Amino acid sequence: MDEQIYIQNTAFEPIKLPDPPQIVEAGTVKNEKLPDSYVEVIGVRNPSTKARNIRYRVVVKPGWCCSFTILWDSVVVDRKSLETAIVNAGTLVGIGDGRGSIGYGRFDVTSFAIF
């Protein structure tokens, strides 16, 4: 399997995340000069311990899309429940770091098919 990570924009043109990824420290580059994909490095404070942690967040400009395949046991989880869980994950939770408190990683499911 290819070790590179690929996603697509909404015109289905591939966007390859660079290897090694371009690292951008938060707040050091103006928005209009940011690349299409990069890794944001930002310091955050843990509210429970007050310690500072470094976060590395993959950033892709709006308009990205991807496709993936899920293998699951349909005896345990029926098709409609799986589809509902994925749609709700995109709407309510998102993927990646920063999804809960600052709303990063939200997505819409545009197609759900069983093969």
Side-chain angles (χ1 to χ4, degrees), residues 39-57:
V39 175
E40 177 187 57
V41 180
I42 188 166
V44 297
R45 186 173 302 281
N46 183 326
S48 60
T49 66
K50 307 293 187 232
R52 298 218 27 104
N53 296 326
I54 301 296
R55 295 280 194 256
Y56 297 89
R57 297 178 176 139

Side-chain angles (χ1 to χ4, degrees), residues 7-71:
I7 57 175
Q8 301 169 332
N9 61 23
T10 52
F12 299 104
E13 301 163 333
I15 300 171
K16 178 180 167 186
L17 298 180
D19 182 26
Q22 182 174 353
I23 306 293
V24 175
E25 188 174 338
T28 61
V29 178
K30 293 184 185 275
N31 283 347
E32 62 274 3
K33 294 188 180 193
L34 288 170
D36 287 341
S37 63
Y38 60 94
V39 175
E40 177 187 57
V41 180
I42 188 166
V44 297
R45 186 173 302 281
N46 183 326
S48 60
T49 66
K50 307 293 187 232
R52 298 218 27 104
N53 296 326
I54 301 296
R55 295 280 194 256
Y56 297 89
R57 297 178 176 139
V58 174
V59 179
V60 181
K61 288 187 176 179
W64 67 274
C65 64
C66 69
S67 61
F68 56 92
T69 303
I70 298 174
L71 178 63

Side-chain angles (χ1 to χ4, degrees), residues 67-88:
S67 61
F68 56 92
T69 303
I70 298 174
L71 178 63
W72 86 98
D73 185 345
S74 60
V75 173
V76 178
V77 178
D78 66 89
R79 178 207 179 280
K80 189 62 183 167
S81 295
L82 180 65
E83 182 178 5
T84 300
I86 293 169
V87 169
N88 287 343

